[in-house]
């Protein structure tokens, strides 16, 4: 109980201390606000531009969740195909790797041309999906292949077909791998959405990245920091939710997850 309390209290105390030092150092060193605004100025932005920032945050969050869902479904489905067919894995896995190692910023212009400038939201969705897809595929594939050979032989002994083996053995055994990949994909979906909004560089996206660009062009540095704060909060909350889901599904089966 003491360690759990410290894991909560210490980060909060450190954060408050850093904020206090930041506020003091900006005032004491007389740093111009267009270089580094104090935290009080960043908080004041929410009173004047909070509505537009929150609206943009909902846009980015919606794209992130949509890309994350698509990546989870498509990555898990393709991993199941890889686990059931070595031919399919040999044929398709190189293309999955190519999709992963190709920088998003490099293929963004092609996606924009293909879907059209009027569909900037679709461009952002596709690029965010690309960023989040591979971790789910790799983790799910590794988990489906990491089944205990003795258990697999036991299922064969009882003449279980592939569907029974897949549902009753392979899926439960692969959950730790899959959920670890999903946690990674959640953060990458948010990063991919923001990078895609930067790459699209269009007011049609109306996400937080566009607000950051807009504020930067107008030297509204405090507004930029406010948008970054919202992005950080979104990422932390998303990671915390996925970590809780992981603990909820695994704490009774896997002892190493009980104290996660």
């Amino acid at each position: 109980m003491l360690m759990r309390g410290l894991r909560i209290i210490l980060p909060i105390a450190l954060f408050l201390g850093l904020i206090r030092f930041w506020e003091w150092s900006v005032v004491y060193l007389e740093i111009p606000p267009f270089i580094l605004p104090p935290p009080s100025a960043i908080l004041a932005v929410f009173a004047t531009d909070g509505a537009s920032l929150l609206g943009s945050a909902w846009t980015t969050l919606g794209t992130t969740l949509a890309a994350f869902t698509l990546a989870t479904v498509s990555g898990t489905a393709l991993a199941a195909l890889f686990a059931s067919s070595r031919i399919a894995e040999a044929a398709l896995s190189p293309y999955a790797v190519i999709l992963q190692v190709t920088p998003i910023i490099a293929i963004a212009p092609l996606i924009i041309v293909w879907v059209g400038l009027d569909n900037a939201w679709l461009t952002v969705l596709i690029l965010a999906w690309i960023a989040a897809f591979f971790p789910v595929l790799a983790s799910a594939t590794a988990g489906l292949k990491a089944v205990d050979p003795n258990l697999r032989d036991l299922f064969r002994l009882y003449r279980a077909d592939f569907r029974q083996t897949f549902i009753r053995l392979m899926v439960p055994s692969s959950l730790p791998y899959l959920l670890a990949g999903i946690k990674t994909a959640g953060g990458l979906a948010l990063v991919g959405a923001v990078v895609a909004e930067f790459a699209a560089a269009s007011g049609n996206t109306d996400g937080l990245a566009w607000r950051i660009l807009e504020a930067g062009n107008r030297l509204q540095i405090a507004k930029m920091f406010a948008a970054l704060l919202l992005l950080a909060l979104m990422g932390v909350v998303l990671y915390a939710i996925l970590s809780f889901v992981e603990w909820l599904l695994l704490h009774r089966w896997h002892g190493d997850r009980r104290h996660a």
Side-chain angles (χ1 to χ4, degrees):
M1 291 295 295
L2 178 61
M3 289 303 300
R4 289 184 179 180
L6 289 176
R7 290 177 63 181
I8 297 175
I9 294 174
L10 287 179
I12 295 176
L14 178 60
F15 175 76
L16 294 177
L18 289 175
I19 293 298
R20 179 60 181 167
F21 176 76
W22 180 357
E23 183 81 25
W24 172 83
S25 61
V26 168
V27 175
Y28 180 78
L29 298 176
E30 298 181 352
I31 301 176
F34 61 87
I35 299 296
L36 181 64
S40 57
I42 297 172
L43 292 178
V45 170
F46 289 102
T48 57
D49 298 295
S52 63
L53 287 174
L54 290 177
S56 297
W58 278 114
T59 300
T60 301
L61 180 61
T63 303
T64 299
L65 295 178
F68 170 72
T69 303
L70 289 174
T72 301
V73 173
S74 58
T76 304
L78 191 58
L81 178 63
F82 285 178
S84 60
S85 173
R86 292 184 178 180
I87 296 177
E89 182 181 11
L92 298 177
S93 59
Y95 297 99
V97 174
I98 290 173
L99 196 66
Q100 169 65 15
V101 300
T102 303
I104 293 177
I105 200 70
I107 62 176
L110 286 175
I111 304 297
I112 294 173
V113 171
W114 289 340
V115 304
L117 292 175
D118 295 333
N119 296 317
W121 65 271
L122 184 57
T123 300
V124 175
L125 178 61
I126 293 173
L127 294 174
W129 168 78
I130 291 175
F133 168 74
F134 190 79
V136 179
L137 173 63
S139 299
T141 302
L144 291 172
K145 289 183 176 181
V147 176
D148 189 339
N150 295 323
L151 292 177
R152 190 187 294 271
D153 291 340
L154 181 62
F155 271 68
R156 289 174 180 169
L157 179 64
Y158 283 98
R159 298 181 180 178
D161 57 25
F162 178 78
R163 182 182 64 84
Q164 293 172 324
T165 303
F166 183 80
I167 295 176
R168 296 179 181 272
L169 175 62
M170 297 175 69
V171 170
S173 298
S174 66
L175 269 182
Y177 297 85
L178 176 60
L179 293 173
I182 286 176
K183 280 204 308 184
T184 303
L188 288 178
L190 178 59
V191 173
V194 174
V195 172
E197 288 174 355
F198 275 120
S202 170
N204 294 331
T205 57
D206 198 32
L208 278 176
W210 174 251
R211 296 300 175 194
I212 292 174
L213 286 174
E214 184 183 47
N217 292 333
R218 298 177 181 178
L219 289 180
Q220 296 175 335
I221 309 303
K223 188 175 181 180
M224 293 178 65
F225 272 93
L228 289 172
L229 177 61
L230 287 177
L231 284 173
L233 289 176
M234 288 165 53
V236 170
V237 171
L238 183 60
Y239 183 84
I241 292 174
L242 293 176
S243 297
F244 176 73
V245 171
E246 181 187 34
W247 175 85
L248 199 63
L249 293 176
L250 298 182
H251 76 284
R252 293 185 179 180
W253 293 357
H254 299 270
D256 58 338
R257 300 288 180 178
R258 290 181 180 179
H259 304 287

